[in-house]
Amino acid sequence: MLHKYIGFGLSFLIFSHIIIEVRLSKEKKLSTKIRSTLGYPASTPEKKHFLFVQFSYAVFYILFITIATTGLVLAFEDAEWLKPANLAKERHSIVQWGLYTFFVIHIAGVTRADLTKYNGIVFRMINGKENN
C-alpha cells in the first residue's frame, strides 16, 4: 500500500512539472535552452556535455512518465475503461529497471564530474553554494 501512495505522490509531482514547463515563459523553457546550445560551435566540449546531459534528462523524464502512467493504470485497474491496458504491469517492471540503470549511471557520472572538471558539484547540489 505504501508503494501505491508513494506512486501517487510521484505521479502528481511529475505531471505538475510538465504543467509548469508548459506554462513557463519561452526563454526559460528547456527547449529554448537546448536550441541555444545547438548554436555553439560543433566541436566544443561544453556543447557535447550540455547536450548529453539534456538527452539524459529527456530519457529520465520519458522513463518516469511511463512508470507513473503505468503505475496509475495498475492502481485503477478495476476501472472498466482500463481493461484493454493489460500490459501495464509488464511495462511498469521493465521501466523500473530502466530507472535503476539511469540512477546508477547518473550517480557515477556526477561522481566522475566532481572528481574531474566540475570539482565541487556535489557540494553545490547539496548546499546550494560554492565550496570555500
Side-chain angles (χ1 to χ4, degrees):
M1 197 57 137
L2 179 63
H3 180 104
K4 189 184 280 189
Y5 291 132
I6 290 172
F8 286 146
L10 291 175
S11 296
F12 172 77
L13 290 174
I14 191 67
F15 293 122
S16 297
H17 185 77
I18 292 169
I19 292 168
I20 291 168
E21 177 72 20
V22 168
R23 299 193 71 202
L24 281 174
S25 64
K26 185 175 181 179
E27 55 275 349
K28 291 184 179 181
K29 287 188 178 189
L30 181 60
S31 59
T32 303
K33 292 177 184 177
I34 292 172
R35 278 191 212 105
S36 70
T37 305
L38 292 174
Y40 290 177
S43 61
T44 61
E46 291 82 16
K47 178 180 179 177
K48 290 178 184 177
H49 178 259
F50 183 80
L51 289 176
F52 177 75
V53 168
Q54 297 310 317
F55 173 76
S56 68
Y57 283 138
V59 168
F60 170 75
Y61 284 118
I62 289 168
L63 289 172
F64 204 92
I65 290 167
T66 304
I67 204 163
T69 304
T70 56
L72 289 173
V73 168
L74 290 171
F76 298 108
E77 64 187 349
D78 296 340
E80 198 59 40
W81 58 277
L82 289 175
K83 294 293 182 192
N86 58 1
L87 296 175
K89 187 172 186 174
E90 183 179 330
R91 289 183 183 151
H92 193 75
S93 296
I94 292 169
V95 172
Q96 170 189 353
W97 286 102
L99 278 171
Y100 292 159
T101 303
F102 177 85
F103 293 146
V104 169
I105 292 170
H106 181 73
I107 290 170
V110 168
T111 303
R112 179 177 175 256
D114 191 57
L115 296 174
T116 58
K117 186 176 180 180
Y118 300 98
N119 189 12
I121 193 170
V122 174
F123 183 87
R124 288 190 304 275
M125 280 191 257
I126 295 170
N127 296 305
K129 57 186 174 186
E130 292 291 326
N131 188 3
N132 294 331

